[in-house]
Amino acid sequence: MVFDLDMIKKLYAAMPGRIEKARKMVGKPLTLSEKILYSHLFPSQKLENFGRGKSYVDFAPDRVAMQDATAQMALLQFMSAGRPKVAVPSTVHCDHLIVAKSGAKDDLTNANKESKEVFDFLSSVSNKYGIGFWKPGAGIIHQVVLENYAFPGGMMIGTDSHTVNAGGLGMVAIGVGGADAVDVMAGMAWELKFPKLIGVKLTGKLNGWASAKDIILKVAGILTVKGGTGAIVEYFGEGAQSLSCTGKGTICNMGAEIGATTSTFGYDSSMERYLISTGRTEVAKMANKIKQHLTADPEVYANPEKYFDQIVEINLSTLEPHLNGPFTPDLATPISKMKEEAAKNGWPTKVEVGLIGSCTNSSYEDISRAASLAEQVANKGLKTKAEFTITPGSEQVRYTIERDGFIKTFDRIGATVFANACGPCIGMWSRMGADKKEKNTIVHSFNRNFQSRNDGNPNTYAFVASPELTTALAIAGDLTFNPITDYLTNERGEKVKLDPPKGDELPKKGFDVKDPGYQAPAKDGSKVQVKVSPTSDRLQLLTPFAAWDGKNYTGLRLLIKAKGKCTTDHISMAGKWLKYRGHLDNISNNLLIGATNFFNEKQNSVKNQLNGQYDEVPKVQRAYKAKGIGSIVVGDENYGEGSSREHAAMEPRHLGVKAILVKSFARIHETNLKKQGMLALTFANKDDYNKIQEDDSIDFTDLTAFAPDRPLTLVLNHKDGSKDTIKVNHTYNANQILWFKAGSALNQMGQGKKAAKKKPAAKKKAVKKPAKKVVKKASKKKVVKKAKKAKKKR
């Protein structure tokens, strides 16, 4: 089934003309990223030579994708927008609320029981508002999007940071918060600061144990977790063209781990093959007709230093497998150096579990290469030393790999196949013994490895690797095992070596699936009822946030001064908390419980300035809220790194936090804070972070003059009576300041709708009167003409 064919036809018909106009405006050849961006300007957006990293631009994405955890809040907000139907093609994918425990069948059955209320809500909302619905078990949002919706040259947004996966099919696909998705679904412009451009030139060709995963692991080591912030990463070169489409998707997927706005590749034969293999031959034919517009102009790749803000070059022929981690996805270690690094850092080297799949590496190619290693276990008399799990990315992939015998191969080495869902990647893993908090090592082919993320144990050392290397390390049970050089001892006492992995880019017999799990929406959803029980602990209708009262914030208490890495997992944990993603008050009980307090080095332990006692972060903040006291959160570098979850912005807003002040923000989180009417601020002087004291009371002195490009002033009132005055910066434009003043972007949207309703009525009156006069005059002329004709006949 081909979705949205008419929409793609319309875009492709318009792209060449739009690109030509943009090229004339910019006055130079265009990168692929620029072509897609300029082809998706909102109708009211004036065409300009936009400043990279400077200009705020209004875009019109082609589609929206939401996963079940974030879709709840996004759709609760959309229900307030007053629209009968979504303005662009949109989908919901149920992939986050399935706990991996014993195996696919039982886990899916349990999820359908435990989260029935949420699934029913999402199904009915989708049905009512014209949204495609993918049922639990259908697959992970990003894999399903790649198989069904992604297309070269398109632009999409999704309420998950790994929406960027669709760049593997030549899209500009960007992760956003739910409020951004609401704007687009409501037919409004989507605002983004025009990105900077990073070019990654790939030369040579992968061989042996190296895979597409190792490319992004290497890039992460070069650019770090914030090196791509505010930029699109565009891959090119002979090495890029040698990669499979799903391999490109893996690279783009983990672009979220370097903070990139998105990543993308130019259209090529691998994308054409993938489109045809997934039943979209018509899309491939259309793309072939305009393929020169679906990649950069030739001059760009010939002299990339002239057209990109930064260039990275990687020779794939010499690239070796990498292991990234622990606790951060940018700590990159070539496998040949792991023994040395593990010894130096005291990392546990016994691998307890190897996990492959998830949205990052669950393609047919990934699974087939891992299966080629699993086959060697029996053939070479080996035994797998670690537990081993597989998480297929979609029902289409799962059904096809079962048909082709791969699941039987994994069964023979004692592997567990989990449901087609996120599972352990996002902490939805009921891991036996994790509650003991023992120090241990796991290796997985997922994208993130933050502390406590996978199993809730802060002492689990998680390393990210390719599915091939993960499988090899699970067989060896040793983090320092290098399959390129090292031997294993089999059950017969013989020294054996693993052969390099082999696999097919696409299934030779084609993809197959019995039931993909898709539910089309009702043609007329006006009669569909969406019910939310007022006593539910899973779902809660939203109450608009209060508008700013126009006064300076004064007497704000310091809630927490977070030390070091503070990701969205630290601010709003996933795992068991996912069940409350549709209930803002309940999920607010996990606010910042994973953040480390600078003053006592503890998690979820902050000082309540009302009584001087230490307590859990949410409890302290609720105490302030009950007394009508505002507060402020202070953080370190790249605050809000990780997931796109807007709950990390909505929770502090709901509980009365007024401002987040940090050294630097991750892009999506900063936008989410703005959308929810929060103040997202950065230290003008990063050293002022050290001036914040535990018992501080903080005043704004010039918030009443809040304006673009104008710093704000804070007074830190210390307990001993002394004061410090500091400057803080912000990136708000005039429209975003209106969000703050209205209380949220959603409130501002409502105010705009009311104003729009009044204006057309006034215009109609002004136009109506002269129109009537014209009609009367015209009718008089006709009467005169008829009278003259009658006289002549007489």
Side-chain angles (χ1 to χ4, degrees):
M1 179 178 179
V2 182
F3 293 92
D4 312 316
L5 195 57
D6 289 340
M7 177 266 284
I8 299 171
K9 282 180 181 176
K10 187 177 177 182
L11 174 67
Y12 280 1
M15 274 190 86
R18 292 174 181 175
I19 289 170
E20 183 56 34
K21 285 180 182 177
R23 194 183 286 113
K24 285 181 180 177
M25 173 60 70
V26 173
K28 62 180 180 180
L30 298 175
T31 64
L32 168 64
S33 305
E34 289 171 315
K35 288 182 178 183
I36 298 175
L37 292 170
Y38 277 106
S39 295
H40 286 84
L41 298 180
F42 197 73
S44 62
Q45 173 64 62
K46 183 183 176 184
L47 177 62
E48 298 174 16
N49 185 3
F50 300 114
R52 296 180 191 173
K54 296 176 182 177
S55 303
Y56 279 100
V57 183
D58 286 342
F59 291 102
D62 300 309
R63 65 175 308 104
V64 174
M66 298 165 278
Q67 39 93 335
D68 51 354
T70 53
Q72 295 171 65
M73 199 57 71
L75 293 176
L76 284 166
Q77 291 177 83
F78 182 76
M79 288 165 65
S80 306
R83 294 230 8 152
K85 193 174 182 180
V86 289
V88 301
S90 303
T91 52
V92 167
H93 304 259
C94 295
D95 61 0
H96 272 57
L97 300 177
I98 302 168
V99 178
K101 186 176 182 181
S102 56
K105 187 177 179 181
D106 290 345
D107 294 347
L108 187 56
T109 298
N110 291 335
N112 277 316
K113 288 179 183 175
E114 292 173 8
S115 295
K116 184 179 186 303
E117 180 186 14
V118 173
F119 294 147
D120 287 349
F121 166 75
L122 293 173
S123 174
S124 63
V125 174
S126 298
N127 212 18
K128 183 174 182 65
Y129 295 108
I131 299 169
F133 181 73
W134 291 82
K135 302 172 189 175
I140 304 171
I141 177 172
H142 315 301
Q143 181 68 25
V144 173
V145 165
L146 197 71
E147 291 173 0
N148 296 278
Y149 299 110
F151 65 95
M155 182 186 217
M156 70 174 285
I157 61 169
T159 61
D160 189 289
S161 55
H162 293 107
T163 298
V164 294
N165 188 83
L169 249 175
M171 291 193 90
V172 162
I174 301 174
V176 299
D180 281 340
V182 171
D183 283 351
V184 176
M185 290 191 293
M188 297 176 66
W190 175 61
E191 183 187 73
L192 177 73
K193 187 178 283 187
F194 202 86
K196 294 181 180 179
L197 299 176
I198 297 174
V200 178
K201 183 178 181 180
L202 303 179
T203 61
K205 190 174 182 179
L206 293 170
N207 61 82
W209 285 86
S211 73
K213 182 78 161 196
D214 297 302
I215 298 173
I216 186 58
L217 295 179
K218 174 78 172 177
V219 170
I222 295 169
L223 294 178
T224 76
V225 289
K226 66 175 190 172
T229 302
I232 292 179
V233 181
E234 187 171 322
Y235 291 83
F236 63 95
E238 60 176 353
Q241 294 183 359
S242 71
L243 300 171
S244 68
C245 179
T246 51
K248 292 177 171 76
T250 291
I251 292 168
C252 292
N253 183 299
M254 273 196 71
E257 274 52 73
I258 57 172
T261 300
T262 193
S263 305
T264 195
F265 286 79
Y267 179 66
D268 61 15
S269 58
S270 72
M271 295 183 191
E272 180 185 13
R273 291 193 297 272
Y274 188 74
L275 285 168
I276 294 169
S277 183
T278 52
R280 292 173 285 171
T281 302
E282 291 167 274
V283 177
K285 286 179 179 177
M286 289 193 298
N288 286 337
K289 289 179 181 177
I290 62 161
K291 60 184 177 183
Q292 73 271 29
H293 301 296
L294 301 176
T295 188
D297 289 333
E299 300 92 330
V300 171
Y301 295 158
N303 296 287
E305 63 282 348
K306 291 183 179 180
Y307 303 99
F308 292 97
D309 299 295
Q310 183 180 351
I311 296 290
V312 174
E313 188 168 339
I314 298 173
N315 183 351
L316 303 189
S317 300
T318 59
L319 183 66
E320 68 173 299
H322 277 62
L323 272 169
N324 283 28
F327 307 130
T328 185
D330 63 343
L331 182 54
T333 305
I335 189 62
S336 62
K337 305 284 187 187
M338 181 49 72
K339 188 173 290 187
E340 176 187 334
E341 290 299 311
K344 186 168 71 177
N345 292 287
W347 298 334
T349 57
K350 181 186 176 185
V351 176
E352 302 286 349
V353 192
L355 308 97
I356 66 168
S358 189
C359 72
T360 329
N361 281 102
S362 55
S363 68
Y364 185 89
E365 181 181 36
D366 291 326
I367 302 299
S368 65
R369 283 171 65 87
S372 76
L373 295 170
E375 282 179 353
Q376 296 181 48
V377 173
N379 295 343
K380 298 192 175 187
L382 293 165
K383 190 175 182 181
T384 307
K385 298 286 180 65
E387 289 181 46
F388 190 65
T389 73
I390 301 100
T391 306
S394 71
E395 177 57 15
Q396 179 168 267
V397 166
R398 190 212 63 79
Y399 191 94
T400 305
I401 65 172
E402 182 176 42
R403 179 201 68 189
D404 292 352
F406 297 153
I407 288 183
K408 283 185 179 177
T409 298
F410 290 128
D411 283 343
R412 285 196 289 271
I413 66 169
T416 300
V417 179
F418 288 138
N420 312 320
C422 299
C425 180
I426 59 163
M428 293 296 275
W429 180 21
S430 182
R431 184 185 178 191
M432 188 76 73
D435 56 330
K436 295 178 183 177
K437 309 294 183 190
E438 292 175 343
K439 191 175 180 179
N440 74 103
T441 284
I442 65 173
V443 180
H444 60 61
S445 67
F446 309 154
N447 38 45
R448 289 188 179 138
N449 55 351
F450 303 140
Q451 188 176 49
S452 305
R453 178 176 172 89
N454 301 120
D455 61 4
N457 178 5
N459 298 311
T460 291
Y461 287 61
F463 293 84
V464 182
S466 67
E468 302 93 307
L469 185 57
T470 299
T471 305
L473 295 179
I475 293 169
D478 184 357
L479 188 69
T480 68
F481 173 68
N482 183 351
I484 301 170
T485 58
D486 297 350
Y487 287 79
L488 295 169
T489 303
N490 68 12
E491 299 289 284
R492 299 184 292 274
E494 301 166 335
K495 294 283 185 182
V496 296
K497 194 175 181 185
L498 293 175
D499 299 323
K502 294 183 292 184
D504 294 320
E505 175 187 335
L506 296 164
K508 290 173 182 174
K509 298 178 186 177
F511 283 106
D512 198 5
V513 65
K514 191 173 182 180
D515 177 12
Y518 175 70
Q519 171 188 294
K523 289 184 179 179
D524 178 10
S526 60
K527 294 179 182 178
V528 176
Q529 295 294 313
V530 179
K531 296 180 181 178
V532 175
S533 169
T535 59
S536 172
D537 75 335
R538 297 290 300 270
L539 296 165
Q540 180 187 47
L541 293 175
L542 295 175
T543 301
F545 292 130
W548 177 50
D549 64 5
K551 300 176 182 176
N552 279 316
Y553 289 147
T554 58
L556 301 184
R557 306 304 168 93
L558 176 69
L559 176 60
I560 186 172
K561 179 178 175 179
K563 181 180 179 181
K565 191 181 281 284
C566 193
T567 71
T568 48
D569 279 282
H570 295 92
I571 304 166
S572 176
M573 283 187 178
K576 67 179 184 179
W577 291 96
L578 282 173
K579 67 184 291 186
Y580 298 120
R581 284 285 180 87
H583 198 293
L584 182 55
D585 193 57
N586 282 348
I587 199 169
S588 293
N589 288 323
N590 78 359
L591 175 64
L592 286 159
I593 62 176
T596 299
N597 183 357
F598 178 91
F599 298 105
N600 61 9
E601 301 281 339
K602 293 181 180 180
Q603 292 180 349
N604 203 21
S605 174
V606 295
K607 194 173 192 179
N608 182 338
Q609 291 189 36
L610 300 177
N611 58 23
Q613 302 296 309
Y614 284 89
D615 208 336
E616 297 173 3
V617 182
K619 288 184 178 178
V620 171
Q621 183 53 39
R622 286 187 185 276
Y624 292 154
K625 183 179 181 181
K627 295 287 187 181
I629 298 171
S631 63
I632 188 168
V633 169
V634 173
D636 215 315
E637 296 281 7
N638 209 30
Y639 184 88
E641 170 193 344
S643 169
S644 70
R645 69 192 66 154
E646 66 181 340
H647 297 78
M650 295 186 81
E651 290 175 35
R653 178 74 168 102
H654 172 66
L655 292 183
V657 177
K658 302 298 184 185
I660 310 292
L661 172 61
V662 300
K663 292 181 182 177
S664 65
F665 280 108
R667 176 191 62 83
I668 301 176
H669 187 62
E670 181 181 23
T671 301
N672 286 345
L673 289 168
K674 291 178 178 180
K675 285 275 184 177
Q676 300 305 331
M678 293 278 288
L679 286 174
L681 309 170
T682 55
F683 290 100
N685 179 357
K686 291 183 179 182
D687 289 340
D688 285 344
Y689 171 88
N690 299 316
K691 293 179 180 177
I692 306 291
Q693 297 179 21
E694 190 171 29
D695 295 293
D696 280 352
S697 171
I698 300 166
D699 300 330
F700 282 79
T701 64
D702 49 8
L703 186 57
T704 51
F706 193 18
D709 303 316
R710 180 174 176 172
L712 293 170
T713 308
L714 298 186
V715 176
L716 312 178
N717 302 293
H718 305 307
K719 191 177 182 180
D720 63 4
S722 63
K723 299 177 186 288
D724 275 304
T725 299
I726 65 172
K727 290 288 184 182
V728 297
N729 294 329
H730 66 84
T731 60
Y732 288 75
N733 60 25
N735 190 52
Q736 293 168 349
I737 290 174
L738 291 179
W739 300 344
F740 168 73
K741 291 180 176 179
S744 71
L746 194 61
N747 290 358
Q748 177 62 19
M749 183 197 297
Q751 291 177 10
K753 274 181 64 183
K754 288 176 184 175
K757 280 181 180 178
K758 291 176 183 177
K759 286 178 183 176
K763 284 182 180 177
K764 280 180 184 176
K765 287 178 182 176
V767 175
K768 245 178 178 178
K769 288 180 181 177
K772 283 180 181 177
K773 288 179 183 176
V774 171
V775 172
K776 285 178 182 177
K777 286 178 182 177
S779 59
K780 282 180 182 177
K781 284 179 182 177
K782 285 181 182 177
V783 172
V784 171
K785 281 182 180 178
K786 282 181 181 179
K788 286 181 179 178
K789 282 181 181 178
K791 281 182 180 179
K792 283 180 180 179
K793 283 181 180 179
R794 285 176 198 156

